[in-house]
Amino acid sequence: MQQEFILEMLDISKSFPGVKALDKVSIKIKPGSVHALMGENGAGKSTLMKCLFGIYKADEGEIFLEGKKVEFKNSKDALDNGISMIHQELHPVPYRSVMENIWLGRYPVKNVLGIKPVDHKKMYKDTEALMDELQMSIKPHTLMAKLSVSQIQAVEIAKAVSYRSKIIVMDEPTSSLTETEVAHLFRIINNLRKQGVAIIYISHKMEEILNISDEVSIMRDGRYLGTWQAEELTTDLIINKMVGRDLTNRFPPRENVPQEVILKVQELTSTNPKSFKNISFDVKKGEILGIAGLVGAQRTEMVEALFGLRSTSAGITYLKGQPVRISTPIDAIKNRIALLTEERRVTGIFPVLSVEDNMLVASISNYLHRGAINSKKCVKAVKENITSLRIKTPSYKTQIRNLSGGNQQKVIFSRWLLSNPDILILDEPTRGIDVGAKYEIYSIIAELAKKGKSIIMISSELPELLGMCDRIMVMCEGRVTGTLNSEDANQEIIMKYATQFAKQGGL
Ligand SMILES: Nc1ncnc2c1ncn2[C@@H]1O[C@H](COP(=O)(O)OP(=O)(O)OP(=O)(O)O)[C@@H](O)[C@H]1O
Ligand SMILES: [Mg+2]
C-alpha cells in the first residue's frame, strides 16, 4: 500500500548555544506535491531541512521516509536515500566546470582493465542531456566562476534534479532569479510533481508560494504553527500567521522630496563589449531611483563599475557638478558612495567574524578616538542596528555564519547604513528577507531619502520598485531603454522596456 506521506518529521527539536532553533516541529509531506515551508527570518526553516539532510543531528524527534524510520548520518547518506537539497547558501566550486560541479563526488568512470579513469565524454553527454531535459542553455564545460548568480542557481537546480530523488528540498531557489526564470523553474517543478516527486519549497515570495504550492506549513520562532491547503490561503493570511499580526501596508509612506542633481553619469561604457554601453542618467539629492531589467540587463555590472569594482572604457561621473574618478571601491567610499552587493553572502560577509565586526568594517574610522577604538560607541551603534532591523542573534559577538540567511543580510545592510553615505546603491536589497523585515528596510530607505540621501535601487521585484521609487530606469541588454516616473509606470510598461531587444529566455 502506498503511504499517505512520503516523509514525516515528528517532534524535531534542535538547540544551538543560546538559541532553541527548533522546538518539537512536525511536518508531513505527501508524494507528488509541492509543500511550502514559511516563516520569518530565523524561524528555523533551514535548520529543519538540515536536520532532515543529515547536516545537523536533531536533539530529539523522529524522521520517517516512506513509513520507515531513518536517520541520515550526512548529506551523502540522504542523497543515497532519495533526498536532495538546493541550499540557501550556494557553494559552487568556482574553478571547475559546470559538469564537474553537477557530478561532484559521483563522476562517471570507465573501466579500463580494472583501472577506473573519469569518463569525461559520458559526463559531458549526461550534462548535455540534463540541460536539454530542463531546457537550460548552460554549457557543460563553462567554468562556474564565469556564471552569473542566476546561472549558478540554475546549475544547482539541475544538480538537484540529476539525483532523481523522491524528495527535493529547495531552500530559496529563486532568490536570484528573475520572473521569466522563475516561470521556467515552475515548469520544471510541475514536471517533477507529475512524476511523483515531493518538493519542499522555502521562499519569502508570497506570490510564488500561492502559485506553486499544494500545501503550506508555517513556522514561527522555532515552532510549528500548522499546515494549510494553499487554496485556503491568501497573502494576508500567510503574513498574519507568520508574523502574528496584520501588516496593512506593504510600503511605508514616502515623504522624501527630490532636490538638485547630485550624481550624473554620462555615457558609461564597460571594457567588456558584451556588457553595458552608453549609460547616462542622473540621481537627485533625496531621490530614490529604481533600476529594473531582466537577467542579462547588466544592471549589477553597471553599478559595480560605478562603484569602481569593474573597469570602464568610457564615461564620466559627476558628483555635485564636478567630474570624479572612481577606479576602486576606496575612491567610491571616499566620495561617500556605498554599494550593497547582490550576492551578499558570497561577496559581502566575513563568515568567522562577529556580527559586530561585520557591521562596523566599512565605518570603523568613525569610531577611532586618538588612534584607539571607542568600543562603547561601537557597541552602542551595533545594538541600535540590531534592534531597529530586528536582527535575530544571540549576541553581537556571535559569528555571522551562525545567523539565518535573512539575518546575515540585515547585518550587511546595517554595515552600509553605518558608513553614512550620501549615495547608497542597493542591489536587490530585500532578497531573502521576510515580509515583516522588508517593511522595516523600506522604512529605512524612505527615511534616508527624506534626510536627503540619494538611493539607487536595483530590484527584480517590480511591485517593490513601483512602491518605493520616484523614478524607474529600465535596462535591457546593457542599455537604458527608458526612464519612467513611478506615477506613470506599471508592471506592463516596465516589462515592455525590459524586453525591448531581449530574447525571452528561461534559465
Ligand atoms: N550553526 C548554527 N549555530 C548557531 N545558531 C544557528 C546555527 N544555524 C542556525 N542557527 C540559529 O537558528 C535559528 C534558526 O535559523 P534558520 O537558519 O533555520 O532560519 P530560517 O528560518 O532558515 O531563516 P531565513 O529565512 O533567514 O533563512 C536562528 O536563530 C539562527 O541564528
Ligand atoms: Mg534559511
Side-chain angles (χ1 to χ4, degrees):
M1 192 192 81
Q2 208 198 353
Q3 299 283 332
E4 183 184 3
F5 300 108
I6 186 164
L7 174 75
E8 291 167 272
M9 296 184 77
L10 304 177
D11 288 325
I12 306 286
S13 295
K14 174 77 190 167
S15 292
F16 298 107
V19 208
K20 182 141 198 179
L22 299 173
D23 187 2
K24 292 194 177 297
V25 175
S26 301
I27 52 163
K28 296 179 181 179
I29 312 290
K30 293 180 183 149
S33 76
V34 178
H35 196 114
L37 190 55
M38 302 203 69
E40 290 184 285
N41 296 132
K45 307 176 294 292
S46 297
T47 303
L48 184 66
M49 290 302 111
K50 286 179 184 169
C51 288
L52 168 65
F53 206 58
I55 297 173
Y56 294 149
K57 190 177 172 344
D59 302 335
E60 53 176 328
E62 293 182 313
I63 302 174
F64 294 89
L65 181 65
E66 294 179 310
K68 283 192 283 293
K69 189 169 168 186
V70 291
E71 187 176 328
F72 302 127
K73 292 187 289 295
N74 50 41
S75 37
K76 181 167 184 310
D77 199 8
L79 285 164
D80 290 344
N81 282 283
I83 301 178
S84 59
M85 179 157 168
I86 300 172
H87 291 273
Q88 187 174 15
E89 306 88 13
L90 302 172
H91 292 296
V93 187
Y95 292 101
R96 290 271 174 228
S97 66
V98 164
M99 64 182 200
E100 287 168 314
N101 268 268
I102 290 181
W103 306 104
L104 196 72
R106 50 186 179 133
Y107 289 165
V109 288
K110 292 186 265 202
N111 195 344
V112 187
L113 304 170
I115 308 167
K116 295 193 171 161
V118 174
D119 190 344
H120 287 279
K121 227 185 203 162
K122 180 169 182 345
M123 184 150 71
Y124 185 91
K125 281 232 165 87
D126 290 351
T127 313
E128 221 176 26
L130 180 68
M131 290 296 171
D132 274 355
E133 175 193 338
L134 301 176
Q135 297 179 347
M136 292 181 182
S137 55
I138 302 168
K139 298 274 172 293
H141 277 317
T142 313
L143 275 190
M144 288 304 280
K146 293 238 150 110
L147 299 183
S148 68
V149 180
S150 77
Q151 287 173 313
I152 295 174
Q153 211 154 31
V155 172
E156 285 294 319
I157 293 166
K159 183 173 175 177
V161 172
S162 75
Y163 282 98
R164 308 291 165 196
S165 305
K166 289 174 275 197
I167 300 172
I168 303 182
V169 178
M170 302 189 175
D171 197 349
E172 301 202 26
T174 63
S175 61
S176 304
L177 303 185
T178 54
E179 288 184 28
T180 26
E181 295 169 314
V182 172
H184 187 163
L185 173 65
F186 283 7
R187 284 196 296 278
I188 296 175
I189 291 181
N190 279 325
N191 280 335
L192 292 167
R193 169 162 47 193
K194 272 191 221 134
Q195 294 160 23
V197 177
I199 312 271
I200 303 178
Y201 192 88
I202 302 179
S203 169
H204 288 292
K205 300 183 187 167
M206 300 291 163
E207 291 79 12
E208 272 181 13
I209 294 290
L210 292 173
N211 181 339
I212 195 71
S213 49
D214 301 300
E215 292 183 304
V216 181
S217 288
I218 299 182
M219 295 175 64
R220 194 194 302 158
D221 285 333
R223 278 188 293 271
Y224 167 77
L225 230 67
T227 301
W228 291 265
Q229 296 302 310
E231 67 250 18
E232 307 169 48
L233 293 171
T234 60
T235 304
D236 287 342
L237 275 171
I238 297 179
I239 294 174
N240 176 289
K241 292 183 200 305
M242 264 172 63
V243 187
R245 63 190 146 89
D246 278 330
L247 269 185
T248 31
N249 293 318
R250 286 181 73 182
F251 301 101
R254 276 189 293 117
E255 295 159 17
N256 61 312
V257 186
Q259 300 154 43
E260 74 279 5
V261 169
I262 176 165
L263 173 78
K264 192 172 175 66
V265 173
Q266 260 181 355
E267 301 287 320
L268 198 67
T269 300
S270 168
T271 41
N272 174 357
K274 291 206 185 114
S275 193
F276 57 89
K277 252 201 248 16
N278 305 338
I279 305 286
S280 299
F281 65 95
D282 51 45
V283 188
K284 301 186 184 78
K285 186 169 153 67
E287 182 180 42
I288 307 177
L289 174 74
I291 307 184
L294 300 175
V295 82
Q298 307 292 323
R299 297 171 297 170
T300 294
E301 288 75 5
M302 193 275 289
V303 296
E304 284 180 355
L306 191 60
F307 190 69
L309 277 166
R310 282 172 193 267
S311 54
T312 51
S313 61
I316 315 179
T317 303
Y318 298 90
L319 266 181
K320 298 180 187 148
Q322 299 298 317
V324 286
R325 230 189 114 76
I326 299 173
S327 23
T328 66
I330 296 177
D331 298 338
I333 293 168
K334 272 192 197 139
N335 282 297
R336 306 179 63 88
I337 301 177
L339 169 69
L340 178 79
T341 55
E342 170 185 32
E343 200 43 29
R344 297 175 266 288
R345 281 193 304 270
V346 179
T347 56
I349 75 163
F350 302 101
V352 298
L353 294 186
S354 65
V355 168
E356 176 183 25
D357 293 342
N358 269 284
M359 226 186 248
L360 294 178
V361 65
S363 58
I364 197 70
S365 55
N366 300 346
Y367 303 93
L368 290 177
H369 183 66
R370 294 190 186 151
I373 290 177
N374 181 341
S375 48
K376 253 198 192 144
K377 203 171 151 195
C378 288
V379 172
K380 183 165 173 279
V382 170
K383 284 191 169 164
E384 275 169 11
N385 272 272
I386 290 177
T387 314
S388 69
L389 282 168
R390 289 206 301 134
I391 298 173
K392 197 174 169 211
T393 174
S395 139
Y396 60 88
K397 293 206 168 74
T398 304
Q399 287 184 352
I400 193 170
R401 65 172 174 185
N402 289 339
L403 267 54
S404 80
N407 283 297
Q408 295 181 6
Q409 309 259 35
K410 294 190 203 173
V411 172
I412 310 302
F413 193 84
S414 329
R415 174 193 297 167
W416 294 113
L417 293 180
L418 284 165
S419 76
N420 194 22
D422 291 333
I423 299 168
L424 181 59
I425 307 171
L426 305 169
D427 196 352
E428 303 285 357
T430 63
R431 171 178 296 167
I433 302 235
D434 72 55
V435 269
K438 265 186 184 159
Y439 189 86
E440 283 145 30
I441 288 191
Y442 296 146
S443 306
I444 290 171
I445 294 174
E447 188 60 33
L448 289 169
K450 188 178 162 193
K451 283 191 195 143
K453 309 282 183 191
S454 309
I455 315 281
I456 301 174
M457 172 168 153
I458 296 181
S459 173
S460 299
E461 288 187 46
L462 296 181
E464 171 169 298
L465 290 178
L466 290 164
M468 285 303 296
C469 301
D470 298 297
R471 286 184 302 144
I472 299 169
M473 171 167 107
V474 192
M475 287 176 64
C476 173
E477 302 206 336
R479 279 162 285 181
V480 175
T481 48
T483 302
L484 306 154
N485 285 323
S486 294
E487 305 93 80
D488 312 327
N490 59 39
Q491 302 210 19
E492 289 80 67
I493 303 180
I494 296 177
M495 284 310 282
K496 203 173 115 237
Y497 284 108
T499 51
Q500 191 131 335
F501 351 88
K503 302 166 272 322
Q504 279 270 4
L507 283 165

